[in-house]
Amino acid sequence: MTSQSSLLSDRKCWMSVLATAPAAVISDNWHALPTQPDFNFISPPRFETIMLRARADGSGTVFNLGEMTVTRCSLALGNGIIGISCIGGRDKRHAAIAAVFDAMMLCQEGGPWHELAREAVLAAEEASRKHQVAKAAKVRATEVAFSMSIAGQPV
């Protein structure tokens, strides 16, 4: 995935990890917190539809590929720091927890909220990596090797 230093210093990286990690891992990290921060929703988790766009062969004309449902959320911690999230699918809990962890990552570096969020992001990234490795192994197990022969002679 990404190096640990860029993962923990680049907001785009940690938000991606929080959005794509399995929801169970995000929830487990939330419940593992010794104390959970106070927060107020600015925009509670809600479902939206976005248009996915693509380019033919990576450089051609842009076209609309299709629509996707996402869940967006924004909230403010008790200290005023704002966190946001955008999760693929319809999981309001995942979106809310990801937004809280985003806000916690924006807290003062070295502070208790920041350190707890760092641990959660690293755990989520590790879980995502393991999930991708397992998925790749499952795909590899179904690989089929094709061969061609002409009149009984392999080509």
Side-chain angles (χ1 to χ4, degrees), residues 32-103:
L33 292 176
T35 59
Q36 296 166 341
D38 293 328
F39 63 89
N40 293 310
F41 287 113
I42 295 170
S43 174
R46 66 176 185 270
F47 306 134
E48 297 180 3
T49 304
I50 60 170
M51 178 60 69
L52 300 176
R53 303 188 79 196
R55 290 184 185 273
D57 75 13
S59 61
T61 306
V62 176
F63 65 95
N64 292 335
L65 183 64
E67 293 181 342
M68 177 179 175
T69 302
V70 296
T71 307
R72 294 182 194 244
C73 179
S74 62
L75 50 81
L77 294 182
N79 60 9
I81 295 177
I82 296 174
I84 60 172
S85 68
C86 182
I87 308 299
R90 299 172 59 95
D91 191 340
K92 289 182 177 183
R93 180 171 176 75
H94 185 170
I97 295 171
V100 172
F101 281 135
D102 175 49

Side-chain angles (χ1 to χ4, degrees), residues 3-21:
S3 73
Q4 184 174 340
S5 61
S6 68
L7 171 65
L8 298 174
S9 63
D10 184 8
R11 188 176 190 195
K12 185 168 75 171
C13 290
W14 80 62
M15 288 182 74
S16 175
V17 167
L18 291 170
T20 59

Side-chain angles (χ1 to χ4, degrees), residues 101-151:
F101 281 135
D102 175 49
M104 289 169 65
M105 285 291 291
L106 295 172
C107 288
Q108 180 180 356
E109 196 163 328
W113 292 130
H114 183 80
E115 292 305 314
L116 291 169
R118 280 176 49 108
E119 292 172 16
V121 169
L122 291 173
E125 196 224 6
E126 180 64 20
S128 292
R129 189 189 61 74
K130 286 180 181 177
H131 179 72
Q132 288 177 351
V133 167
K135 191 174 178 181
K138 187 175 179 181
V139 169
R140 254 190 315 283
T142 63
E143 184 177 347
V144 178
F146 292 98
S147 63
M148 191 168 115
S149 63
I150 299 176

